[in-house]
Amino acid sequence: MTAQLNSDPSTRPSTRPTARPHRRVRASGGCDPAGRRPRHPRAVCDGTARATGATGPARHDAGALAARFAHQLVEVLTGARPSGQLMRHTSLDGYGQLASLVRAGALRRGGPADRPRLGPVHDRSPSPDAVEACVRVDLGRRHHMVAFRLEQRGPAGQWQCTAVEAR
């Protein structure tokens, strides 16, 4: 008799979780009920945090910005990432320099197992809207230096690479 009760769907407990109501965003200020401001992914890099009036530091973190771009740049130069992915983050001159470095094979891998290892990124800001950085890249037994310059450009203040050099 117990086997028949367990096989009856009306007597089994439901394993489906109950639906929870969605949170509603308040119309005043765009904050949720907990008082947090919604975060836009590009707010840190492109200056929209200042334009929208979001709280927080208005100045960029030059070290973090340079480190993120150095990682992406080395991936392009070693062939792990297509150069077109950095097109929107480079100026016309910067992309031309990057494309010529990729064609010349500036950072060739010593073998298929060699993975690039980045050293510390050394950066400096000659002005508030520019960052110059360099990084040492180890590829097996070979060592390379990559230097680049980032500048804030356009009305939105997006960061773009304006110069790239690798040796």
Side-chain angles (χ1 to χ4, degrees):
M1 175 102 177
T2 58
Q4 291 176 350
L5 286 177
N6 288 339
S7 64
D8 184 17
S10 62
T11 60
R12 277 188 272 158
S14 173
T15 58
R16 243 178 112 176
T18 59
R20 294 185 343 200
H22 294 286
R23 280 190 185 179
R24 291 192 173 264
V25 176
R26 289 185 190 173
S28 62
C31 295
D32 68 358
R36 295 181 302 249
R37 289 186 101 23
R39 187 177 78 85
H40 191 272
R42 291 190 187 163
V44 176
C45 295
D46 67 0
T48 56
R50 290 186 302 264
T52 59
T55 59
R59 180 139 161 56
H60 66 276
D61 181 12
L65 179 69
R68 282 193 312 266
F69 190 78
H71 181 74
Q72 294 172 355
L73 186 60
V74 168
E75 286 180 345
V76 168
L77 291 172
T78 57
R81 175 189 291 248
S83 62
Q85 287 187 2
L86 288 185
M87 186 179 290
R88 65 180 291 207
H89 301 291
T90 56
S91 66
L92 187 59
D93 291 336
Y95 188 75
Q97 293 171 0
L98 176 62
S100 66
L101 288 172
V102 170
R103 280 193 303 271
L107 269 69
R108 291 193 183 110
R109 295 182 181 194
D114 289 340
R115 293 183 54 145
R117 290 185 311 169
L118 275 68
V121 178
H122 302 280
D123 62 272
R124 70 179 198 78
S125 293
S127 66
D129 60 345
V131 176
E132 294 176 347
C134 67
V135 63
R136 178 179 165 165
V137 181
D138 297 331
L139 283 170
R141 293 183 175 179
R142 301 197 67 175
H143 309 288
H144 302 274
M145 289 300 292
V146 176
F148 56 93
R149 179 180 173 94
L150 301 171
E151 293 180 5
Q152 270 187 320
R153 294 206 165 173
Q158 180 179 355
W159 288 94
Q160 288 189 331
C161 178
T162 58
V164 180
E165 189 174 330
R167 299 207 188 265

